[in-house]
Amino acid sequence: MFSVKPTKPTFKCYLPPVQTDVKKTIEPPIKKLEPKLLPGEIVVNEANFVRKCISAESSQDDLWGKLICTNFKVSFIPQDAPPKQKSQLSHLLLGEHDIPLTCLEQVVTVNDTKGKKKVLGSNKKLKFNPTELILYCKDLRIIRFCFDEAGPESAKKVCLAIGHYSHPADLQLLFGFEYQGRRYHESKGNNPFPGERVNGSTPRGGLQTPIFDCSSDWDRAIKRTGASEWRVCTINENYAISQSLPEFIVVPVSLADQDLKQYSLFFIDNRIPYWCWNHPNGCALVRMANISDPLQQKKIEQRIYTAITKSHPQRSEIFLSDVDKCLPNIQDIQTAFVKLRQICVVDPFEESDERWLSSIENSRWLEYVRAFLKHAADIIFYLDGKNASVILQEEEDRDLNCVVSSLVQLMLDPHYRSLIGFQSLVQKEWVMAGHRFLDRCNHLKKSDKEESPLFMMFLDCVWQMMNQYPAAFEFTEVYLIVLSDSMWIPLFSTFLFNSSKQRAQYLMDFAKNKAIPQGEDKVVYFPPVWDWLQQFTSKDLTLFNNPMYVGKGAACVQNGEVKTFRRTKKTYSSTMRGASTSMRNGVKGAEDTLPRRSSLVSELKSDFSTVKDESPLERFFRDWFSRPADQQGLLIPLFMPSHVALWKLFFLRWVPEACIPRGGPIHTYHKLSQLVDEIELLQSQIRQYKGPSPSSTPLPSPGGPPFNQRRMYFKASSPHDPPTPPDFLTSTFPFSPMGNLCRRSTHGTPISKFLNGARIWLSTETLANDTV
């Protein structure tokens, strides 16, 4: 006989027996954290057990999850996702914790124990294991991740991947080229009209934004403004003359193509003068690059001036504005923006800092905003006051001219204050005019010297006008911010290229590589940003609608009667004035932050006083400001230091200390939206009650338009709704600073700090429970 050795206990012996009773509750499997990927998007690297910091004071509210780098974005997937905040826009292409790679300004790794820090880029090496990753974003967010529990190797790899893929070596490596190719082929069979343009798809009747890549768009612009002495010129077809001008430009009828070809040789980059806009009085706004040959300058200028003079019915004089001499250069603007960003977002925000407002002013950003507004107003004096055509001259005609030309047209022409009109203005004066979006946005991060936020400067100037004339614009500041944010989403053709030619070349190669049929419209297979339904739902797009807008056909009450604004050919003229301020809806009254127009002369005595040596320019401004403004006519902004404010929603939306619960202008917007929605419902019911007229369109349903087709984001309240506004309405709505670690939390800021200069900081906000 032989004895059997007892078996040694194994690890399994120490485990409890496996449950075999299926009736008993089984623990749910661990949640698998997977990213939501777009067509063509792939995961490059990832790290588990990563902590996203929510507060610098405590890790109690921090989120744990997986950090992922794809070929499009940095994505964080929380293990236990908090409930979705109602105060945020729901982006269809990006999640709540996603950041496009092109939105990253700097990728910084930190090792706390060794006291080391390194900025990562393309093909950079990392000699230490990171304990933190800090992402500085171009939309002013600062996101911080900690690798307390993550494996050191996986943490290092995901950091290097983010640094590398945020610095693409070539434009074609941007994710938009892969995404739009996949999207085109996936949707090819779904569109019954494949040749039809899909840009400008809006929930408001399918209005379209002209792209100005064909002569018909320019023809319509000429016809709309009555520029009968100007014509569409085709000498730059296939970019035969200039590499940076569009294929179609508008020139005086009196200039022959042969002469234009000859003149183009003397301009920088062969950018011959071209038309932008016509005033109803016959004068024109023209853009021009510098003449490269000084010996030929007088001769060429004289011929150009003669042709422009002939295009004017009264053969009026011409005014030349050299914007390079009057305005800050692109490096000055970039320096000012970096300083302002540092003050608003990066620097510690201590309650004892009494120089915050002075620091804002010393950044010179607001000074430059005022300079652009004032220069545009000066140009208006010549166009509207002196009936003179104006030539805007800049060295290359691709930077400062874009800002000035756009602002002048925005002030003079109410068409450009509508949503579609504004988008066509950006398309015409920025995209097609050859603004270097690729270089100025620094998408490839190749040259910091070329980077400059000129488009952001323009949007800030637009906001200043909206802030002063809240009823004159169809769109809201949320629209302006979303448009700014779209610069950093590389999925649309609008902000990716330096010129029309570069766009055409890249998209031609793109179509060949993706087997897109020859002759297919570029707008279909690589759409511009104006197709907002690619990014947001119809409901969220209603946040673009201004409830105070006094547009064509908008009703107002005058002398107890409901009347309608109707535009005529002369509405741009400063001689056309509307009703008094007290009778016009949507204009700020005496109790608001802006002064009444009648008090302007006394407030600005040094500038607009009635003295004997008063210049014609000063007299023009004094006369204009002494009369009530027509929301559908010429609008001149106030540009003195006390009238130009910090754009709080843009610069402070990610700053927790600046977020005022149940405060800010959103409450006014909320009430006005509800009121407008109620009025539109009543109008619909009245039309239903009266019955159809012979020429009317089909009647809406008895209850009014469907809920998801109404124009306002906030719908009319019912008797059952609570009387107080929703809790999620804060001064940063519809953006939330939650999870954006800007600085050390101070749990609110006393209003006493801002009593001196409150116009810049708080404006119309109301703070509850302030300590004074």
Side-chain angles (χ1 to χ4, degrees), residues 10-200:
T10 64
F11 181 71
K12 290 183 179 180
C13 298
Y14 298 99
L15 295 177
V18 178
Q19 296 286 346
T20 56
D21 189 355
V22 294
K23 294 183 179 179
K24 293 183 179 180
T25 304
I26 300 175
E27 290 291 326
I30 297 175
K31 177 184 175 183
K32 195 173 183 180
L33 305 180
E34 296 293 341
K36 292 182 179 179
L37 302 178
L38 297 177
E41 187 177 6
I42 57 173
V43 174
V44 175
N45 222 305
E46 60 185 39
N48 287 300
F49 308 111
V50 177
R51 177 164 58 91
K52 181 178 180 180
C53 301
I54 303 299
S55 169
E57 299 291 338
S58 164
S59 61
Q60 183 177 355
D61 298 323
D62 291 352
L63 299 176
W64 290 86
K66 179 188 287 188
L67 181 64
I68 296 172
C69 175
T70 75
N71 56 339
F72 168 49
K73 63 179 182 275
V74 176
S75 184
F76 178 76
I77 309 171
Q79 176 67 51
D80 299 311
K84 183 168 178 56
Q85 300 179 44
K86 293 182 180 180
S87 60
Q88 287 185 299
L89 282 168
S90 298
H91 205 288
L92 299 179
L93 304 176
L94 291 165
E96 184 179 350
H97 302 279
D98 292 349
I99 311 161
L101 292 170
T102 44
C103 188
L104 296 179
E105 180 81 26
Q106 274 193 343
V107 179
V108 181
T109 51
V110 179
N111 186 300
D112 281 337
T113 56
K114 296 183 178 180
K116 292 185 176 182
K117 182 172 72 172
K118 183 169 183 177
V119 179
L120 297 180
S122 179
N123 294 318
K124 291 285 183 73
K125 293 183 179 180
L126 193 57
K127 295 183 180 180
F128 59 84
N129 293 326
T131 58
E132 288 186 17
L133 172 68
I134 304 174
L135 302 179
Y136 294 88
C137 304
K138 292 186 177 182
D139 63 1
L140 308 187
R141 283 182 291 175
I142 300 177
I143 313 295
R144 178 171 160 233
F145 299 100
C146 292
F147 303 112
D148 314 74
E149 305 296 332
E153 278 304 311
S154 62
K156 181 187 287 188
K157 286 180 180 179
V158 76
C159 289
L160 288 171
I162 293 170
H164 178 75
Y165 282 89
S166 62
H167 290 71
D170 186 78
L171 182 59
Q172 288 181 319
L173 294 177
L174 293 178
F175 178 66
F177 289 90
E178 182 64 30
Y179 168 72
Q180 293 296 359
R182 298 287 187 96
R183 186 196 65 85
Y184 171 80
H185 286 293
E186 287 182 6
S187 62
K188 188 177 179 182
N190 298 331
N191 185 7
F193 307 104
E196 183 178 319
R197 288 192 174 189
V198 295
N199 65 301

Side-chain angles (χ1 to χ4, degrees), residues 89 91 199-204 207-211 410 415-428 430-431 437 455-456 458-460 462-463 466 472-489 494-495 528-533 535-547 549 647 649-650 653 666 669 711 713 732-735:
L89 282 168
H91 205 288
N199 65 301
S201 300
T202 70
R204 292 174 292 155
L207 295 174
Q208 294 185 343
T209 301
I211 301 300
L410 199 70
H415 168 69
Y416 293 126
R417 301 196 287 265
S418 67
L419 181 62
I420 297 299
F422 183 79
Q423 294 180 166
S424 71
L425 180 68
V426 173
Q427 189 71 30
K428 176 168 68 81
W430 291 80
V431 180
F437 278 110
F455 191 66
M456 187 61 235
F458 167 63
L459 295 182
D460 199 332
V462 175
W463 178 82
M466 292 172 62
F473 293 82
E474 184 181 15
F475 45 89
T476 62
E477 63 176 323
V478 171
Y479 166 78
L480 295 180
I481 294 176
V482 167
L483 180 59
S484 170
D485 290 346
S486 297
M487 284 195 292
W488 317 120
I489 303 176
T494 308
F495 302 120
V529 74
W530 316 127
D531 186 3
W532 292 110
L533 283 172
Q535 297 191 61
F536 302 101
T537 64
S538 297
K539 175 177 171 53
D540 281 345
L541 288 181
T542 57
L543 282 169
F544 293 0
N545 298 333
N546 178 13
Y549 177 55
W647 187 3
L649 187 60
F650 178 81
R653 58 181 163 149
I666 184 59
Y669 180 84
R711 287 194 317 117
Y713 184 82
T732 62
F733 180 89
F735 309 98

Side-chain angles (χ1 to χ4, degrees), residues 282-303:
C283 59
L285 181 66
V286 179
R287 289 173 59 166
M288 183 174 79
N290 285 355
I291 296 175
S292 55
D293 188 350
L295 299 176
Q296 298 290 331
Q297 182 167 350
K298 286 187 177 180
K299 177 183 174 182
I300 299 300
E301 281 182 350
Q302 189 57 47
R303 292 181 179 179

Side-chain angles (χ1 to χ4, degrees), residues 492-518:
F492 313 102
S493 63
T494 308
F495 302 120
L496 285 187
F497 305 99
N498 282 334
S499 65
S500 298
K501 181 180 181 181
Q502 187 186 50
R503 180 180 298 100
Q505 286 177 331
Y506 272 91
L507 295 190
M508 189 191 317
D509 295 340
F510 164 74
K512 289 180 182 178
N513 294 336
K514 300 300 179 183
I516 294 172
Q518 190 175 3

Side-chain angles (χ1 to χ4, degrees), residues 669-693:
Y669 180 84
H670 172 250
K671 291 296 182 185
L672 283 170
S673 297
Q674 287 185 320
L675 181 60
V676 169
D677 186 60
E678 187 172 0
I679 290 171
E680 291 179 350
L681 284 175
L682 291 172
Q683 288 174 335
S684 176
Q685 292 170 3
I686 289 172
R687 287 194 297 270
Q688 177 72 20
Y689 176 77
K690 288 183 177 180
S693 60

